[in-house]
Amino acid sequence: MVKQFIKIGLVSISDRASQGVYEDKGIPSLQAWLAKALITPFEIEARLIPDEQELISSTLADLVDHQQCHLVLTTGGTGPALRDVTPEATLAIADREMPGFGEQMRQISLQFVPTAILSRQVAVIRKQCLIINLPGQPKAIQETLEGLKDANGKVIAHGIFAAVPYCLDLLATADTPMPYVETHAEVVAAFRPKSAIKPA
């Protein structure tokens, strides 16, 4: 049996980090979180690029169309500043929008700061790939992916990654199957309907 793996594109979008003005923290944070959260083996395609809309769009399209990523996570460029064009670049190459991801990310961030309503993260599907815009700060990235728990470990707000594995399941076709992604439940528990759960 061929061992399944998931191919994940990571795109950090920052003018200054891409110019070497300061060290990029987005990609290392995402890589560390994925290593902690995923049971399923994964392969990374990483890109560090400036806030240029056409470049962002072409990078995302390349990761889906040519690199054949199953999932693409972006970080940075989702605020209201004029240079923040990640959502527009993402929507420009989308087949379908998945608004629930952005709604939940803002709900999580609102637990901490009222300015969370200024974030414009979107999630879309292109072909058989899920693309999600994440916040720019490592702490916010972790919180939105994992969700929030109280001191007793009870979930206060579900992290968005809990829905990612089943979303990928639903993108499978007879000709192009998708990897069955599993997570460490203590980090983020992947949720599937009982009918979609495969036996261990």
Side-chain angles (χ1 to χ4, degrees):
M1 181 178 176
V2 177
K3 192 172 187 180
Q4 281 196 323
F5 74 96
I6 178 172
K7 191 167 186 180
I8 304 172
L10 303 180
V11 185
S12 187
I13 299 153
S14 167
D15 284 332
R16 288 179 289 176
S18 65
Q19 294 164 3
V21 175
Y22 58 70
E23 184 181 359
D24 172 60
K25 294 181 179 178
I27 290 171
S29 296
L30 284 167
Q31 288 177 318
W33 189 86
L34 290 166
K36 178 177 70 169
L38 289 180
I39 294 172
T40 305
F42 63 93
E43 180 181 313
I44 295 293
E45 283 284 339
R47 305 284 187 272
L48 174 58
I49 58 175
D51 293 276
E52 299 290 348
Q53 186 169 336
E54 288 188 9
L55 178 59
I56 298 167
S57 288
S58 64
T59 299
L60 296 178
D62 176 68
L63 287 169
V64 177
D65 301 351
H66 300 112
Q67 304 304 321
Q68 299 184 314
C69 290
H70 303 105
L71 172 68
V72 175
L73 304 175
T74 76
T75 175
T78 60
L82 295 181
R83 291 290 290 171
D84 290 335
V85 293
T86 301
E88 288 76 15
T90 303
L91 291 169
I93 55 90
D95 294 328
R96 285 178 288 170
E97 189 174 357
M98 300 292 287
F101 285 94
E103 292 164 7
Q104 183 63 7
M105 282 189 273
R106 284 180 280 277
Q107 284 298 314
I108 292 169
S109 295
L110 278 167
Q111 303 285 329
F112 301 97
V113 290
T115 50
I117 60 173
L118 301 180
S119 66
R120 302 187 304 116
Q121 291 103 324
V122 300
V124 305
I125 291 169
R126 179 180 173 89
K127 298 181 178 178
Q128 288 178 274
C129 180
L130 175 63
I131 304 172
I132 306 174
N133 298 158
L134 294 170
Q137 296 301 317
K139 181 174 180 289
I141 289 171
Q142 178 176 332
E143 289 162 352
T144 54
L145 289 171
E146 285 185 25
L148 306 175
K149 297 176 182 176
D150 64 18
N152 298 317
K154 182 181 178 182
V155 174
I156 300 170
H158 289 285
I160 62 162
F161 205 88
V164 168
Y166 187 52
C167 182
L168 297 181
D169 292 350
L170 295 174
L171 294 177
T173 66
D175 295 330
T176 313
M178 297 291 283
Y180 185 80
V181 177
E182 297 180 278
T183 63
H184 292 286
E186 66 273 15
V187 179
V188 60
F191 179 84
R192 287 179 170 94
K194 287 183 179 178
S195 60
I197 297 173
K198 292 184 179 180

